[in-house]
Amino acid sequence: GVDGVECLCEQIIEANVPIKTLRLTETELDDYCADRVTQALAMNYHLRDVVVSGNRAVTVRAMNRLEATLQLSQLPAYLKDVIPHLGRDVGGITALDFVRTKKADYELGDDGCKLLFEALRRNTHVTRIRVVGHSVSNRGVGYLCGGLNSNTAVTTVDLSRNDISDDGASDLAGLMSQDHSVITDLDLSHNAIHDDGARVLLQTLHGGSRAANNLARLGLDANPIYPGHIEYIRVQMLALKQPSEFYARFAREDESYL
């Protein structure tokens, strides 16, 4: 009941007890109890799994709050501080640089990117995003595009050395086709983008939107893209009369690929 949950939460908060899993299935929990567990979870560094299924009085909204807090609790300490700061948009952070150079380093993945990029929806201070080598797939790109859907601050996006393919390139092209986008530097090198993805990016450049005209740098090196498509994109960027620095190179230059 409520009294039992209150007592449990107080112990978790005050002593930060080393409990990793908390199961409260098929009890008499309601939204108030679920929210108290959520608050305790946010202040405990050990809890990693909370199960409250089978409590019919707990609404979906309360469950979502609990799930979001659980996801946040599993992140490294520096991310726990950064994400709420981004959401409050209080300034101070202008660049998000997450460059993973060692396998032992924490890997954001798509789920970590979801929390990070959703916090950007109302942020007006961050101008550079670098998420390099974090196994970001097309799903993670979708979260980024959602976070930047109404953003007019981010000008540099570096998603190199991830797992992005043609669908992710298409999502980014759609983002850049919107007039509110101010992205000038996009690095997609060392991913898995093929000819179809390059073609969509080319169509965006050729579309002539104001946002596409802003693009000055496009990194596509080390992707399995036909060299002719790379060259044509370069020509199109030059045709836009931008002070462009096109730094796309070829992942494969053997004659059989030509």
Side-chain angles (χ1 to χ4, degrees):
V2 174
D3 292 339
V5 170
E6 288 284 0
C7 180
L8 176 64
C9 290
E10 287 177 5
Q11 290 298 314
I12 292 174
I13 294 172
E14 291 179 5
N16 197 23
V17 294
I19 300 175
K20 294 184 178 180
T21 301
L22 178 63
R23 295 185 180 276
L24 299 171
T25 58
E26 298 181 0
T27 60
E28 299 179 1
L29 294 185
D30 55 14
D31 278 7
Y32 173 81
C33 294
D35 285 339
R36 288 290 290 129
V37 173
T38 299
Q39 294 168 5
L41 177 61
M43 302 176 68
N44 187 285
Y45 292 99
H46 300 285
L47 272 172
R48 291 294 181 268
D49 187 19
V50 179
V51 181
V52 294
S53 59
N55 293 281
R56 297 181 179 180
V58 179
T59 64
V60 174
R61 183 172 297 181
M63 287 293 293
N64 288 341
R65 288 195 293 267
L66 177 61
E67 178 64 24
T69 303
L70 179 61
Q71 288 180 328
L72 185 60
S73 72
Q74 295 173 339
L75 297 176
Y78 66 91
L79 272 180
K80 291 180 183 179
D81 294 335
V82 167
I83 290 176
H85 192 87
L86 291 176
R88 291 194 296 269
D89 192 25
V90 294
I93 299 177
T94 59
L96 299 178
D97 291 319
F98 298 101
V99 180
R100 185 168 177 260
T101 58
K102 301 178 182 178
K103 290 184 178 181
D105 293 343
Y106 177 81
E107 185 177 76
L108 278 174
D110 292 332
D111 291 334
C113 286
K114 179 181 180 181
L115 295 173
L116 186 64
F117 295 151
E118 283 183 347
L120 290 172
R121 291 181 182 275
R122 296 181 178 84
N123 190 281
T124 59
H125 295 87
V126 173
T127 60
R128 184 180 73 216
I129 299 173
R130 297 182 68 212
V131 181
V132 179
H134 281 274
S135 298
V136 179
S137 71
N138 296 332
R139 185 161 64 94
V141 172
Y143 295 141
L144 170 64
C145 292
L148 297 183
N149 190 47
S150 58
N151 185 285
T152 57
V154 174
T155 59
T156 299
V157 176
D158 183 355
L159 297 176
S160 59
R161 301 185 183 279
N162 284 294
D163 301 323
I164 301 168
S165 62
D166 292 343
D167 288 343
S170 179
D171 286 343
L172 287 166
L175 175 65
M176 291 188 298
S177 67
Q178 301 177 25
D179 283 341
H180 65 74
S181 175
V182 293
I183 296 175
T184 60
D185 189 328
L186 177 63
D187 192 348
L188 297 174
S189 59
H190 294 270
N191 276 284
I193 300 171
H194 290 73
D195 292 348
D196 288 344
R199 189 176 296 111
V200 173
L201 289 169
L202 173 60
Q203 290 171 349
T204 300
L205 292 173
H206 194 64
S209 68
R210 181 175 64 85
N213 291 342
N214 288 335
L215 189 64
R217 303 179 71 200
L218 175 62
L220 289 172
D221 58 302
N223 281 282
I225 301 172
Y226 178 62
H229 291 157
I230 298 285
E231 176 64 17
Y232 192 59
I233 292 175
R234 184 188 70 81
V235 171
Q236 288 297 310
M237 293 189 73
L238 292 175
L240 292 173
K241 297 181 179 179
Q242 296 292 322
S244 306
E245 179 185 347
F246 187 82
Y247 57 102
R249 296 180 293 277
F250 308 147
R252 299 175 60 184
E253 297 178 341
D254 53 289
E255 293 182 359
S256 63
Y257 190 58
L258 298 175

